[in-house]
Amino acid sequence: MMVKYDNIELRSEKVKDIIGQVPPVLIRFGNGIIFFIFLGILCCFTFIKYDHIIETETVIVSDSNIFIAKIRIPPSDKQRIIVGQKVILYLDNKSSIFDDRFEFFIDNMPKTTYINNNEPIILLEKAIRNPIQSEHGNVIFFSDSCVFKTEILTNKESILNSFISQFDILNKTHWFKPSCQ
């Protein structure tokens, strides 16, 4: 059986002194300090911008003397790409070429989405001359289909806009109309 004790003083004099003191300024204004820290972080997310880079791959296929670079773009990144942005085609995934790249700019943005292996993609096509001259001055000839790592440099955007656009993309992904080849 539990015994109930009423009005027993279990605190020592030191504990009573600590409880009776006014807390320091940091503790009194702690909620305000935490609010201003979160406000500062939100301002950083809003005003500090970074380069958003879309990493994808490019397939170069032959069409007589002209080679066509077919860049595979996920539909979720379509709204970030505009005409005039720089595309960097890295040539370092081939065994004979190391640390070299080829750059060109986007001329047009297709509106057709294709389904490839149950994954939607947008094919951005760019005609390139054969041979090409790389950034380091190397002349490169293409003789057959090649696959290269590619980066598309998009406009700078804030972390907050990037976060919000992810929700916008989720709402729009159910409304695209794919066309199959």
Side-chain angles (χ1 to χ4, degrees), residues 10-112:
L10 296 175
R11 296 185 186 142
S12 68
E13 289 298 320
K14 289 182 180 181
V15 172
K16 287 180 184 178
D17 286 341
I18 292 173
I19 291 175
Q21 290 178 353
V22 177
V25 174
L26 184 63
I27 294 174
R28 280 187 282 164
F29 297 111
N31 289 337
I33 292 170
I34 290 171
F35 171 76
F36 284 113
I37 288 172
F38 281 126
L39 187 65
I41 291 171
L42 183 65
C43 287
C44 289
F45 283 171
T46 304
F47 297 114
I48 295 176
K49 297 187 178 196
Y50 71 100
D51 290 326
H52 183 80
I53 298 172
I54 299 170
E55 294 181 354
T56 185
E57 63 181 24
T58 298
V59 178
I60 297 181
V61 294
S62 174
D63 185 17
S64 66
N65 289 340
I66 301 288
F67 277 71
I68 299 174
K70 294 186 176 189
I71 306 167
R72 299 175 182 167
I73 302 169
S76 61
D77 289 328
K78 181 180 179 181
Q79 72 182 28
R80 291 188 170 127
I81 299 172
I82 58 173
V83 174
Q85 288 176 330
K86 186 188 290 187
V87 176
I88 302 172
L89 201 118
Y90 288 96
L91 305 172
D92 60 355
N93 58 340
K94 299 299 171 195
S95 60
S96 61
I97 305 169
F98 295 101
D99 193 33
D100 211 350
R101 63 190 198 174
F102 168 66
E103 297 178 356
F104 57 90
F105 295 92
I106 296 175
D107 294 336
N108 62 356
M109 190 61 199
K111 297 182 178 172
T112 307

Side-chain angles (χ1 to χ4, degrees), residues 107-181:
D107 294 336
N108 62 356
M109 190 61 199
K111 297 182 178 172
T112 307
T113 303
Y114 298 94
I115 304 293
N116 186 10
N117 295 331
N118 290 330
E119 288 194 28
I121 59 167
I122 297 168
L123 283 178
L124 185 110
E125 295 183 353
K126 170 78 175 174
I128 56 175
R129 284 180 270 131
N130 192 24
I132 62 169
Q133 186 168 3
S134 69
E135 188 177 83
H136 295 301
N138 297 325
V139 176
I140 300 159
F141 288 91
F142 297 108
S143 61
D144 57 353
S145 294
C146 302
V147 179
F148 295 101
K149 180 180 132 187
T150 306
E151 289 181 351
I152 301 172
L153 304 177
T154 63
N155 293 336
K156 291 186 177 216
E157 67 179 342
S158 69
I159 296 170
L160 184 64
N161 284 344
S162 176
F163 180 73
I164 291 171
S165 70
Q166 294 300 319
F167 292 107
D168 191 36
I169 289 168
L170 290 175
N171 290 335
K172 291 181 181 178
T173 54
H174 299 290
W175 297 101
F176 74 94
K177 295 180 181 178
S179 64
C180 298
Q181 277 184 322

